[in-house]
Amino acid sequence: MIVNFGSVALDTTRTPFRTVKDVLGGSGTFFGLAASFFHETGLIGVVGEDFPEEYTKLLAERLDLTGLAVEKGKTFRFDSSFGYDLGTRTTNKTELNVFGEWEPSVPDEYKDAPYLYLGNIGPEQQLLVLDQMNEPELTVADSIELWIKTRRDLLIDVISRVNGIVLNDDEVRQLCRTSNLITGARTIMDWGADFVIVKKGEHGSILFAPDTIFPTSGYPLEEIVDPTGAGDAFAGGFMGHLARRGKIDDKAMKEAVIYGNVMGSFAVEEFSIYRFIGLTMEDIEGRYRKYKQMVAF
Amino acid sequence: MIVNFGSVALDTTRTPFRTVKDVLGGSGTFFGLAASFFHETGLIGVVGEDFPEEYTKLLAERLDLTGLAVEKGKTFRFDSSFGYDLGTRTTNKTELNVFGEWEPSVPDEYKDAPYLYLGNIGPEQQLLVLDQMNEPELTVADSIELWIKTRRDLLIDVISRVNGIVLNDDEVRQLCRTSNLITGARTIMDWGADFVIVKKGEHGSILFAPDTIFPTSGYPLEEIVDPTGAGDAFAGGFMGHLARRGKIDDKAMKEAVIYGNVMGSFAVEEFSIYRFIGLTMEDIEGRYRKYKQMVAF
């Protein structure tokens, strides 16, 4: 099983073309749904009593929800806007609500899972989850600017204890205080990570490991509807493929990065998680093959 | 021969780390030096009487200069600054000087050349050169924001008469009034170009042709000194390889894009054109092979 610790949120997303309110979102949601195509995935997260029944059903269709707590109060809410080019997001409001002070608890049946993903929650909560697990084979963490700015030292602690870290290019530059991504990735590996994946949105991603630099371009899309969740879907495709392969070597890692690009490319084609509804493994493998053929020379 | 129409300039480039004044630059210079590694290249351009003898010698070592005029007045000067991440350029001053009203004349011995590159000069001057040539097999043009803003219709005329166009991603968005690069590339092909190459700086480039989308990532560099000229060096590697191959099919085009990335990556490793001094074809082929190995999966 892949244990997936992340937020389950109600998103309000505003683009110049359309606004959607209180739709299903959150890093745990996007990661989990993407990963679930490849491997059994269990979710650790919390929602409030206002969380719509239909969203719980939707998640339950693809995920083990033993780790999903329901607490008194309101669900985590995230309100953001995109400009005309859908390139940069502006956060309008983040209401942590029930997620704020929540102390995550790992269900006993998750503790021996070989794969652990720590979504972009604060490093205190990431460490709480990590401490309850029995040495997973592969742990990957994500983070965001907020924690780089307010909890940098604790985030570096997290990095020292995980195998891989997944960050945006700007986050690497901020965290490592360098403009150069290679230099930044080396710094992160010096802190103890085995590998670093730098996500660059539409420009693709780069995998850095001690003897590997694997730059990839994004899957070209004619229509992008809502970039929300692309990074988490990327991570879901990445870990999902590694879990499915059951072997973590250079070849599997590279393939996994491409599956990450593919899952990210699906995520942005609809608002919320709706592109994943009705998506099949055949669609995923088809896009993977198309990508592979496209970039060959 | 590749006929290369472009600027020969004295650049002042300011980075947070160093400033260089009146160094050899210009689109014709960068394109020509890059292309010259692959195929005989002739330069059409103009300099003033103040153009340093040593720069003429340096160009003459690699380029046919029959088409380089020396006019009374000052050489084209370009003054620009880069911020800390060397990502975005700010133009401080552009002095066209002798280039301003110059009417380019194509030497007789260039007129039957099969390959023509129209560097980022104004579309009036690009058309003057195009009109003097005897139907080259492959013509590629570049442009810049200035002409998109001030000469859009004439630039579209140029596009309708060339085979390929090379533009930055932002330029495609502006020119085609769309945020989507695929849509933009289609528009440009509707105007009459056979193919479009979108340059994305450190993020690589994408080749668009009617039945081809070929996204590529940039060659990862640990040290970038001066991004000036990277786009022209890209175009030089691209056309140089096609001329060397002597055959313009899908495979050659894709390889040519990678040689473009490679030449662009060399250009930014030093100020001005200095990375090309002492560079060998072996270095170029070595980086091409390394890139190919790096991106394989």
Side-chain angles (χ1 to χ4, degrees):
Chain A
M1 175 186 270
I2 302 172
V3 172
N4 157 32
F5 171 51
S7 59
V8 179
L10 296 176
D11 283 351
T12 293
T13 306
R14 303 161 199 272
T15 80
F17 314 103
R18 198 177 149 200
T19 291
V20 292
K21 288 200 175 185
D22 287 345
V23 295
L24 180 56
S27 60
T29 300
F30 279 100
F31 176 93
L33 292 180
S36 71
F37 286 93
F38 299 84
H39 199 79
E40 192 198 357
T41 302
L43 177 63
I44 300 176
V46 62
V47 293
E49 287 166 326
D50 60 347
F51 192 68
E53 176 79 15
E54 58 168 305
Y55 290 168
T56 309
K57 271 189 192 155
L58 208 151
L59 291 171
E61 270 172 37
R62 303 204 63 98
L63 301 174
D64 180 299
L65 298 185
T66 314
L68 182 66
V70 183
E71 300 278 340
K72 265 202 174 151
K74 290 173 77 180
T75 301
F76 178 25
R77 273 174 172 73
F78 182 63
D79 185 327
S80 69
S81 301
F82 289 94
Y84 184 71
D85 73 351
L86 299 178
T88 28
R89 180 204 306 274
T90 312
T91 300
N92 304 314
K93 206 158 51 174
T94 307
E95 297 172 44
L96 292 177
N97 297 328
V98 293
F99 225 112
E101 300 300 309
W102 185 58
E103 293 198 0
S105 161
V106 177
D108 285 339
E109 50 270 60
Y110 286 11
K111 288 182 177 167
D112 290 319
Y115 305 102
L116 173 65
Y117 179 67
L118 302 171
N120 57 20
I121 308 306
E124 285 93 344
Q125 289 169 319
Q126 289 179 323
L127 290 171
L128 275 177
V129 168
L130 194 53
D131 286 338
Q132 294 172 63
M133 295 289 294
N134 296 325
E135 301 186 7
E137 275 170 48
L138 178 74
T139 301
V140 175
D142 186 14
S143 197
I144 46 172
E145 193 185 348
L146 175 65
W147 312 123
I148 293 169
K149 278 190 174 160
T150 61
R151 298 277 192 288
R152 185 168 181 272
D153 289 347
L154 211 56
L155 176 57
I156 294 172
D157 267 9
V158 171
I159 290 170
S160 75
R161 293 186 50 194
V162 301
N163 301 95
I165 179 107
V166 178
L167 292 170
N168 293 336
D169 45 359
D170 283 345
E171 290 162 354
V172 170
R173 292 191 170 103
Q174 279 177 33
L175 174 64
C176 304
R177 298 166 180 169
T178 172
S179 63
N180 189 282
L181 295 178
I182 302 183
T183 311
R186 287 232 180 91
T187 302
I188 293 173
M189 289 189 276
D190 284 345
W191 289 333
D194 301 328
F195 63 88
V196 180
I197 297 174
V198 182
K199 297 173 292 178
K200 305 194 296 173
E202 63 163 329
H203 302 302
S205 52
I206 313 181
L207 165 68
F208 293 95
D211 299 315
T212 301
I213 298 183
F214 179 53
T216 73
S217 36
Y219 184 86
L221 290 172
E222 188 142 16
E223 198 177 19
I224 298 172
V225 172
D226 171 14
T228 307
D232 301 302
F234 172 94
F238 175 78
M239 281 201 86
H241 178 69
L242 287 180
R244 170 174 79 161
R245 279 282 305 262
K247 195 173 151 186
I248 302 159
D249 55 16
D250 200 57
K251 183 171 161 49
M253 292 271 285
K254 288 178 178 178
E255 291 166 358
V257 169
I258 305 301
Y259 279 103
N261 285 350
V262 165
M263 297 313 288
S265 77
F266 281 121
V268 304
E269 288 184 315
E270 293 260 14
F271 279 100
S272 180
I273 52 73
Y274 289 104
R275 188 63 176 91
F276 292 142
I277 308 291
L279 190 75
T280 64
M281 205 57 214
E282 221 171 291
D283 299 328
I284 295 168
E285 298 296 359
R287 189 167 283 190
Y288 180 90
R289 281 193 304 271
K290 196 170 167 196
Y291 179 97
K292 188 162 177 138
Q293 186 203 337
M294 214 179 231
V295 300
F297 65 93
Chain B
M1 177 188 268
I2 302 171
V3 171
N4 158 32
F5 171 50
S7 59
V8 178
L10 296 176
D11 283 351
T12 293
T13 305
R14 303 161 199 271
T15 79
F17 313 105
R18 197 177 148 199
T19 292
V20 293
K21 289 198 175 184
D22 288 343
V23 295
L24 179 56
S27 60
T29 300
F30 278 101
F31 176 95
L33 293 180
S36 70
F37 285 94
F38 298 83
H39 199 78
E40 192 197 358
T41 303
L43 177 63
I44 299 176
V46 61
V47 294
E49 287 166 326
D50 60 347
F51 191 68
E53 177 77 17
E54 58 168 305
Y55 291 168
T56 310
K57 271 190 193 154
L58 208 151
L59 291 171
E61 271 173 36
R62 303 205 62 98
L63 301 173
D64 181 300
L65 299 185
T66 314
L68 183 67
V70 183
E71 299 280 339
K72 264 201 175 155
K74 289 174 77 180
T75 301
F76 178 24
R77 275 174 171 73
F78 182 62
D79 184 327
S80 70
S81 301
F82 289 94
Y84 183 70
D85 72 353
L86 300 178
T88 29
R89 180 204 307 274
T90 311
T91 299
N92 304 313
K93 208 160 44 173
T94 307
E95 297 172 43
L96 292 178
N97 297 329
V98 292
F99 225 111
E101 301 300 308
W102 186 58
E103 292 196 4
S105 161
V106 177
D108 286 338
E109 51 269 60
Y110 286 12
K111 288 181 177 167
D112 291 319
Y115 306 102
L116 173 64
Y117 180 68
L118 302 170
N120 58 22
I121 307 306
E124 284 94 343
Q125 290 168 319
Q126 289 180 321
L127 289 170
L128 276 177
V129 168
L130 194 52
D131 285 338
Q132 295 172 62
M133 295 289 294
N134 296 325
E135 301 185 6
E137 278 170 47
L138 178 74
T139 302
V140 175
D142 185 14
S143 198
I144 46 172
E145 192 185 348
L146 175 65
W147 313 122
I148 294 169
K149 280 191 173 157
T150 62
R151 297 280 191 286
R152 185 167 180 271
D153 289 347
L154 211 57
L155 177 57
I156 295 173
D157 269 7
V158 171
I159 290 171
S160 75
R161 294 184 52 193
V162 301
N163 301 96
I165 178 108
V166 178
L167 292 170
N168 293 336
D169 44 359
D170 283 346
E171 291 162 355
V172 171
R173 292 191 170 103
Q174 280 178 33
L175 175 64
C176 304
R177 298 167 180 168
T178 173
S179 63
N180 189 281
L181 296 178
I182 301 183
T183 312
R186 287 233 181 89
T187 302
I188 293 173
M189 289 189 276
D190 284 346
W191 289 332
D194 301 327
F195 63 87
V196 181
I197 297 174
V198 182
K199 297 172 291 177
K200 305 194 298 174
E202 63 163 329
H203 302 302
S205 53
I206 313 182
L207 165 69
F208 293 94
D211 299 316
T212 301
I213 298 181
F214 179 53
T216 72
S217 36
Y219 184 87
L221 290 172
E222 187 140 20
E223 197 176 19
I224 298 171
V225 172
D226 172 13
T228 307
D232 301 301
F234 172 93
F238 174 77
M239 282 201 84
H241 177 68
L242 287 180
R244 169 174 79 161
R245 277 284 302 263
K247 195 174 150 185
I248 302 158
D249 56 14
D250 201 57
K251 184 172 160 49
M253 292 271 285
K254 288 179 177 178
E255 292 167 359
V257 169
I258 305 300
Y259 279 104
N261 285 349
V262 164
M263 296 314 287
S265 77
F266 281 121
V268 305
E269 290 184 316
E270 292 260 13
F271 279 100
S272 180
I273 50 74
Y274 289 104
R275 186 63 175 92
F276 292 141
I277 309 291
L279 190 74
T280 65
M281 204 58 213
E282 219 171 294
D283 298 329
I284 295 167
E285 298 295 0
R287 189 167 284 191
Y288 181 91
R289 282 193 303 271
K290 197 170 167 195
Y291 180 97
K292 189 162 176 139
Q293 185 204 339
M294 216 179 229
V295 300
F297 65 94

